[in-house]
Every structure is written in C-alpha cells, then in structure tokens.
Amino acid sequence: MEAKVIRSEEQHQEYLLEIQNLIACNPQPGSNASEQLELLSVLVEAYENQKYPIEAPDPISAILFRMQEQGLKQADLVPYFGTRSRVSEVLARKRPLTVNMIRALSSGLGISTETLVGVEHAETSQVEKDDVDWGRFPIKEMVARGWLQKLTNKTVKTTEELVQSFIANVGMQFGSTAFRRTLGGDAYSPATQYALHAWLARVIQKARERKSVLGSFDNNMFSPTFLRELAQLSWFDHGPVLAVEFLEKHGIAVVIEPHLKGTLLDGAAMQDEDGTPIIGLTLRFDRLDNFWFTLLHEVAHLWKHVDLEETFLDNLDASSEDRREVEANRIAKEALIPRVAWKRSDAYLNPSNSAIDKLSRELKVHPAIIAGRLRKERENYTIFNDLIGHGQVRKHFNFSEIEV
C-alpha cells in the first residue's frame, strides 16, 4: 500500500484495517512492515486530530479531575487559594482564578498554565474590554475634583479617552490591576462599580504620592497589641492625625478622599501592585466614633484578608454576613474596647455620661468610641449624641479643600 495523506473517511477506515493487520503480524523493528506501520499510524493520528479535536478541559474541570486523581479534598487546596471560602467559590465557578492561584496550582498540582488560563481566556478578555462603558464613569465629578486636571492638557479626543488615560495613568487599564481585583465589602454594587473604580484609581494615585514618606512595612507587625496601640491614639486631641502618622511610619499609606456621589463608602483596604498596603477613608460621617471604627476595621482587613487581588470597599452602616467582614468587625471592636472590660463596665451595665468617661479613662480611648458602641448595640442613635464627636475629624485633614 502506498501511504498518502488521508483525505476521506473511507481512506481512514482502510488505513485502520491495514494497521490492524500489520500489528497482528508483529513486525520486527526496522523492517519494511514496521516502518509502514509507523507511517500509517502517524497519518491516522494526524487525520483524527484534525477531524475529531479533543477540547481542552476547562480550568475547574481540570482541578476537580486532579483532586479525584490524587484523593484531595477542598481543604487540601487552601494553600493554593488562600482561604477555604475562596476554594469553595472557585470550584463553584463563582470566583475566577487569579494569576497567583494559577501559578500555585500549576506548580503544586502539575496542571499546565494553559489549561488553568482556559482556551477562552483571550476571547473573554476582549469581550470584557468591549463591554466597558467608559461613559458611565462620573466624568463631571472627576473633572470638578481636579482628578483629570493634568490630563486635560494632553490631546484627548473623547470623554472615553480622558477616562482611559486617567485609569491607565495609575496602571489600572482595563484587564489589569483594578478591574481584575475582586471587590469585597458592602459598599460595592453593580450600579456604582464605575464610580468605585474611579475612586480606587484616585486613592492609589494619591497613595503613590505618599510613598516617599512611608516607613518600612512588615506584615508580621500586625497583632492585637499593634491595633490596641493604634486605638489608644484616640485619647489625644489630634488623635486622627497621630493615627495616620503612626500607620505611615509602619509603611501603610493612608489616603483621605471623599466618596463619589451615589456610593455608600466609608473606607477601603487594598494593596498597590508593588504590595504597598493602602487604607482609603472618605470621612462620609464627620464623627470620631465612625472614624476610629472604620480605621481599625480597614487595618484588620489588611492584616487578615487583603492581597494583590482582593480589595475591600466598606459601607459600615450595612449589616454583613460575609465572614471576613464579621472578623474585621470583631478585631476592630476588641482593639477599641476589649470584650472583658466592656461586659463588666458600668458603661455597659448602667450607661451614663459619667460611666462612659470612667471607662474611657481606664482604657485610654476617646469617650466617642464608647458612646458609639452603646448606640450601635442598642440600635438607639438618639442617645449620647453629644459624646460621639460630631465635626471633630475633617478639621484635622483640611477636608474642605478636597470636598466637592
């Protein structure tokens, strides 16, 4: 038989029959029959690969197959994903794989990066890029705040290009840093996502301007003692300023940037692309109790939850069931008013102005923090209104100069 490239199914079947006959003859290596068998096998394989291509498994199917193959449970994947909740969300196809996850899985489980990225990745990225409605960014408010002032001197033909330039200026072009972030926290909603991304870009931009004054950051510094030391700065008249200086001394950038209209945003915790931790505060409520709880809540996120892909945008008026938000609340409350001291205090058992003052002196924290705790726990926002520090935060940060 003269071997040729297979052009039809009839030829394919003919070659298969010939291969079967040659195998039955058990030809000696190097013989003409052996060479013929090898050549026909190559031709058949090429034809079948072209006509019946095997689709690459999607990333999640590949991970599940490897788990079954190696007898792994979801708990065994925590080192690759970071937390149990992320494992569950990724395997349920509710959360996309990040670059760090792909690297870890490829190295640890031996799954190719091509499979983990997925053959549809390029097409999906293009679709996502095309789906961005740049006109939905709050362009007028951004211009009014001076965010785009430096860019308006450049040759920009459309509003879309103006916004794209602003986003790209801080390394947040679509498909990169910002839009690949997983946004957690109760301030996020699809209706406000463009305003929130614009605000994030501005916060990162301002944080980078602060890097020259930041101290060295070491994640191991986080501890209950660290947070307690931060909380006790509230005891001083200029406590909010001292708190910012304290955090920046330890390598954490703190940015004050008012929220954009329509967003219910109190604070945010994130990392820049170089790993610099950033806290953003809106001072939406000019009250000491709100300032200190928000600040400690965001520090708790930096300690326990934030990484390059995970950003938290918090509306602390909302009641969250997210485990990470609950944990950040618990850590913040414990740092401000330790649980043991709280339950035994007169401020808790028989609240009054004098009892609040007494506990604040014992704990070396501002009375506003205790008054705010009582109002929150009792769901009564009419009590101790004179103690929560109305109008005592923004004045420390020249807020009127940046407020719209």
Side-chain angles (χ1 to χ4, degrees):
M1 173 185 292
E2 182 181 359
K4 297 180 180 180
V5 174
I6 301 176
R7 304 289 186 187
S8 66
E9 184 58 27
E10 292 76 11
Q11 188 182 3
H12 174 235
Q13 292 298 324
E14 181 183 352
Y15 280 24
L16 286 176
L17 180 60
E18 182 64 18
I19 287 173
Q20 184 178 353
N21 293 333
L22 288 171
I23 291 175
C25 295
N26 192 23
Q28 294 295 318
S31 64
N32 291 337
S34 177
E35 294 294 331
Q36 182 76 353
L37 174 60
E38 184 175 352
L39 177 57
L40 293 176
S41 298
V42 170
L43 294 172
V44 166
E45 182 179 3
Y47 175 79
E48 291 177 344
N49 286 341
Q50 181 180 10
K51 188 163 185 177
Y52 311 109
I54 299 175
E55 295 184 3
D58 73 275
I60 305 307
S61 296
I63 295 170
L64 293 172
F65 175 79
R66 188 54 52 88
M67 288 174 65
Q68 181 179 12
E69 185 180 50
Q70 298 185 5
L72 302 176
K73 299 179 180 179
Q74 287 196 14
D76 298 318
L77 299 188
V78 170
Y80 308 113
F81 292 88
T83 66
R84 287 177 177 269
S85 62
R86 289 184 192 175
V87 175
S88 299
E89 290 169 0
V90 169
L91 295 185
R93 304 176 194 275
K94 295 180 179 179
R95 176 193 287 265
L97 288 168
T98 66
V99 173
N100 288 341
M101 290 177 187
I102 289 172
R103 289 173 178 167
L105 289 166
S106 179
S107 175
L109 298 185
I111 305 173
S112 71
T113 55
E114 289 80 7
T115 297
L116 291 170
V117 169
V119 295
E120 78 289 350
H121 176 74
E123 296 177 359
T124 301
S125 294
Q126 185 61 42
V127 170
E128 288 177 345
K129 185 173 182 180
D130 292 342
D131 283 346
V132 179
D133 185 353
W134 296 95
R136 290 182 61 188
F137 280 88
I139 181 68
K140 291 183 179 179
E141 194 172 1
M142 293 165 71
V143 170
R145 291 194 181 195
W147 294 5
L148 307 178
Q149 187 173 6
K150 294 180 180 179
L151 298 174
T152 54
N153 295 326
K154 299 180 180 180
T155 303
V156 180
K157 297 180 180 179
T158 66
T159 298
E160 176 177 313
E161 290 177 339
L162 189 65
V163 176
Q164 287 177 332
S165 297
F166 170 70
I167 297 295
N169 192 48
V170 291
M172 293 175 62
Q173 64 273 12
F174 188 80
S176 185
T177 308
F179 287 84
R180 279 190 183 174
R181 291 175 183 265
T182 299
L183 300 181
D186 293 301
Y188 178 79
S189 73
T192 60
Q193 61 177 320
Y194 288 94
L196 291 172
H197 277 115
W199 184 87
L200 278 175
R202 178 59 173 166
V203 168
I204 291 175
Q205 183 184 66
K206 293 177 71 173
R208 290 176 180 174
E209 295 171 359
R210 301 290 301 163
K211 286 187 179 179
S212 63
V213 302
L214 298 182
S216 177
F217 174 71
D218 180 1
N219 193 69
N220 293 323
M221 72 184 180
F222 287 128
S223 69
T225 301
F226 177 87
L227 269 70
R228 184 77 187 127
E229 184 178 354
L230 174 62
Q232 289 185 325
L233 293 175
S234 67
W235 181 251
F236 301 96
D237 290 339
H238 291 81
V241 174
L242 295 176
V244 171
E245 293 175 350
F246 176 84
L247 291 172
E248 293 197 330
K249 175 184 175 182
H250 288 87
I252 300 171
V254 181
V255 173
I256 309 295
E257 183 61 50
H259 68 292
L260 289 164
K261 294 175 183 177
T263 63
L264 302 175
L265 184 61
D266 291 309
M270 69 200 85
Q271 285 184 3
D272 200 352
E273 57 189 10
D274 65 354
T276 299
I278 302 171
I279 289 175
L281 300 174
T282 68
L283 307 189
R284 184 163 66 107
F285 300 106
D286 188 3
R287 303 195 322 259
L288 284 172
D289 66 321
N290 182 268
F291 171 83
W292 286 104
F293 187 79
T294 302
L295 183 67
L296 269 294
H297 182 95
E298 304 309 339
V299 173
H301 274 320
L302 288 180
W303 180 13
K304 297 292 185 178
H305 310 130
V306 168
D307 57 29
L308 287 175
E309 283 82 29
E310 194 86 35
T311 292
F312 288 84
L313 299 166
D314 291 308
N315 167 17
L316 295 179
D317 274 349
S319 179
S320 179
E321 296 181 359
D322 187 308
R323 176 192 58 77
R324 298 163 300 178
E325 294 300 333
V326 171
E327 183 177 29
N329 283 339
R330 177 185 59 76
I331 291 172
K333 289 167 64 176
E334 185 68 18
L336 292 164
I337 308 175
R339 188 168 52 253
V340 174
W342 179 236
K343 294 294 185 180
R344 296 177 179 176
S345 69
D346 289 338
Y348 173 77
L349 297 171
N350 188 25
S352 66
N353 283 26
S354 59
I356 290 172
D357 181 69
K358 178 183 177 182
L359 183 59
S360 73
R361 292 178 183 276
E362 291 174 358
L363 299 179
K364 294 293 187 293
V365 298
H366 197 281
I369 293 170
I370 300 169
R373 176 81 167 264
L374 285 167
R375 287 157 57 95
K376 179 72 172 179
E377 290 190 356
R378 294 175 179 241
E379 298 184 350
N380 184 349
Y381 297 98
T382 64
I383 59 175
F384 306 117
N385 195 50
D386 58 330
L387 297 181
I388 57 177
H390 280 293
Q392 298 300 308
V393 182
R394 295 180 183 177
K395 65 179 184 180
H396 293 293
F397 300 105
N398 295 319
F399 196 83
S400 60
E401 296 180 6
I402 59 176
E403 188 174 19
V404 176

